[in-house]
Amino acid sequence: MTTEDTVDIPQRPARAFIGEEFELKSWEDLRPFYENLKNRKLKSTDDLRQWFRDRSELDSYLSENFAWRYIRQTCDTANNELVQALQFFITDIQPHLAAYSNELDKKATESPYLPELRDQGFEVAVRGMKKAIEIFREENIPLQTQMQTEERKYGAIAGAMTVTLDEEEMTLQKAADRLQSTDRAVREEAWRAISERRYEAHDELDGLLNKLVELRHQVARNAGFDNFRDYMFAALGRFDYSPQDCFDFHEAVTEAVVPLLNDTALERKETLQLESLRPWDTKVDIQGRPPLKPFRSGQELLDKTIRCFQRLDPFLANCLRIMKAMGHLDLESRKGKAPGGYNYPLDESGVPFIFMNATSNLRDMITLLHEGGHAVHSLLTRDLTINAFKHPPSEVAELASMSMELLTMDFWDEFFTNEEDLRRAKIQHLESIIETLPWVATVDKFQHWMYEHPEHRPQQRTEAWVQIYQQFSDDVTDWSGLERFREYLWQRQLHIYEVPFYYIEYGIAQLGAIGVWKNYREDPQAGLQGYLDALKLGYTAPIGEIYAAARVPFDFSKEHITELMDFVKKELEQLKI
């Protein structure tokens, strides 16, 4: 290990409540701790504060225990032993946790000493507890267990998907690299192979979603809600905006962003001199240059990202060095891995784990920068006293990750020594941001429709998807003869299956991230400091106050979106000169 890579590994805090030797083998191992918390006499504010700390220690242990089960299973979806280890927690542990958590939330919120607990963060945490008590129903516990079991099936189905091209079996992620080939026939072959493979599973994935919609609607009805959308707004603690704000976001994107999509698609069609722009033409370089290759291996991707972070702020690089030293990264794509990428916070150790499916393209580079932003957030909040303080809502979590993609742009020469390639990379990423907002609006509006119409049939769902997709997509791309593939594009979005209604956050955070970047462009030191100040808060303040700490408004109105898109457009124009 080089001197630069030598880091101090953070030590896990001592387990004062559950004990250093504790090991989870069954629910009976845990019950005494929950009974202690449930029945403990609290005679002062200090007693209540200690009670919160003990509960937090137990929560942190269990959160990390589950996290490792999930991480290991997504790294090897075909390993039945790992599948069963995860399933054990879902079926044998979590149902008990839900009931006890409700009892403990009630104990905390009913304590006469709670008003005296003025430490920053408790007001926000207690607000969440009260909402959780409000929506808790005993009869939903087995339904939620069933839901989680069904949700896990998506990763196994998608993780098993491969295609064979040029006599080589490969993951869909690797095959997708061919969509950047300058040979149109190669692109078309890859696109059709990927689409056909996904289509093979469309009935199975349709059936899975049917089950999930039914279960989710029942959970919502049990909790007294008209539909699962309204239930999830409560469950996700969306205190700062409403469904109507989401609808306004959809309309604002239609008016302010979709026209830019059309401009980009038309420029692509004309520059490529195509009579018809097809779906396999959307990723190739319009000047006919070969695909950008910012790295050749997962190790090289990590090393270059560390150097990039180092130049922005040494602390940021140190976060990744710690994770590297602890083996908390699994970056390269391979058969049997679940799709997608994530940064999983590990609440006890305080050092997260990054999982992704890198091949060698620009999107993979962006993914590690993105997940690296999440990782920095985890490490900045690891010393907050209560576990709940470390878990901000997604609107804040994604601000951390999406801002990092843009804040590092000045240092992308670590990946691209050629000035022309560097310029291309920046253009591609900024254009992808323009694409992100309409896709977020598409997925979010689709989910609103599904759960507002829980009795819908698969054909009605397909029709609704196509209508919504067309609202937010360009009108240049030609899908003739490919309609059956377009009808099931939503099945590639794992959030619809695994984390329902977690998607509008990407749009909200993307706007915040552009604002953070705009601040950084105007004053690098102040812009970066505002970003770090916001992240350090964790979830000890409401979303609006956290955004204010980053010096950006929590605003997704048409006017604000238009202002930010104008900024991005000007940056793009300068790069294209």
Side-chain angles (χ1 to χ4, degrees), residues 75-141:
C75 290
D76 186 2
T77 60
N79 186 318
N80 191 57
E81 186 178 327
L82 298 178
V83 172
Q84 292 306 313
L86 177 62
Q87 192 62 32
F88 158 75
F89 198 105
I90 292 171
T91 57
D92 290 23
I93 303 299
Q94 283 187 337
H96 299 288
L97 299 185
Y100 269 104
S101 291
N102 185 61
E103 291 295 321
L104 298 184
D105 285 347
K106 285 181 179 179
K107 183 182 181 76
T109 56
E110 292 170 1
S111 170
Y113 302 105
L114 189 61
E116 298 173 26
L117 205 59
R118 297 190 178 91
D119 312 40
Q120 184 179 5
F122 277 108
E123 185 176 345
V124 172
V126 169
R127 179 182 67 169
M129 286 180 191
K130 288 179 177 178
K131 182 59 70 174
I133 293 167
E134 183 184 318
I135 68 173
F136 176 81
R137 298 293 185 277
E138 190 85 31
E139 61 266 35
N140 277 340
I141 293 175

Side-chain angles (χ1 to χ4, degrees), residues 272-289:
L272 289 171
Q273 298 180 322
L274 297 173
E275 186 176 323
S276 174
L277 185 71
R278 303 286 267 167
W280 47 82
D281 298 320
T282 61
K283 302 300 180 187
V284 65
D285 181 75
I286 60 174
Q287 303 295 339
R289 295 164 294 196

Side-chain angles (χ1 to χ4, degrees), residues 8-27:
D8 293 325
I9 305 298
Q11 297 301 303
R12 172 180 60 77
R15 294 176 185 160
F17 178 51
I18 65 174
E20 290 296 334
E21 304 305 316
F22 179 76
E23 184 179 352
L24 176 61
K25 294 180 180 177
S26 72
W27 166 248

Side-chain angles (χ1 to χ4, degrees), residues 484-539:
R484 66 188 175 103
F485 300 128
R486 181 175 59 181
E487 289 173 354
Y488 292 97
L489 284 175
W490 57 270
Q491 290 185 343
R492 73 188 191 192
Q493 195 62 64
L494 67 83
H495 299 69
I496 292 171
Y497 290 89
E498 296 188 357
V499 276
F501 277 101
Y502 181 176
Y503 217 68
I504 188 70
E505 296 91 337
Y506 289 110
I508 295 169
Q510 185 68 81
L511 299 175
I514 296 169
V516 168
W517 183 46
K518 186 171 181 285
N519 290 342
Y520 180 79
R521 299 287 278 167
E522 293 165 358
D523 185 336
Q525 185 174 352
L528 179 62
Q529 192 58 53
Y531 168 75
L532 295 173
D533 287 345
L535 268 53
K536 288 173 186 175
L537 287 172
Y539 199 21

Side-chain angles (χ1 to χ4, degrees), residues 155-175:
I157 294 168
M161 291 183 184
T162 62
V163 295
T164 300
L165 295 169
D166 295 336
E167 300 182 351
E168 178 189 352
E169 183 183 16
M170 62 185 74
T171 63
L172 302 195
Q173 291 87 355
K174 186 174 181 181

Side-chain angles (χ1 to χ4, degrees), residues 332-386:
E332 294 186 2
S333 176
R334 62 178 179 273
K335 184 180 178 182
K337 278 182 80 170
Y342 59 75
N343 172 84
Y344 209 126
L346 296 170
D347 289 338
E348 201 175 36
S349 69
V351 181
F353 188 100
I354 290 179
F355 167 100
M356 60 179 287
N357 281 277
T359 53
S360 62
N361 61 41
L362 178 64
R363 184 63 245 169
D364 297 330
M365 181 195 99
I366 299 298
T367 297
L368 187 53
L369 295 172
H370 177 102
E371 302 304 343
H374 282 309
V376 166
H377 202 181
S378 294
L379 283 151
L380 279 170
T381 58
R382 71 182 302 272
D383 293 327
L384 291 174
T385 54
I386 303 299

Side-chain angles (χ1 to χ4, degrees), residues 301 304-305 308-309 356 364-374 400-402 404-406 408-409 412 415:
L301 169 62
K304 287 181 173 180
T305 303
C308 191
F309 277 26
M356 60 179 287
D364 297 330
M365 181 195 99
I366 299 298
T367 297
L368 187 53
L369 295 172
H370 177 102
E371 302 304 343
H374 282 309
S401 56
M402 290 179 147
M404 188 65 82
E405 298 172 15
L406 293 165
T408 53
M409 280 182 75
W412 286 6
F415 297 93

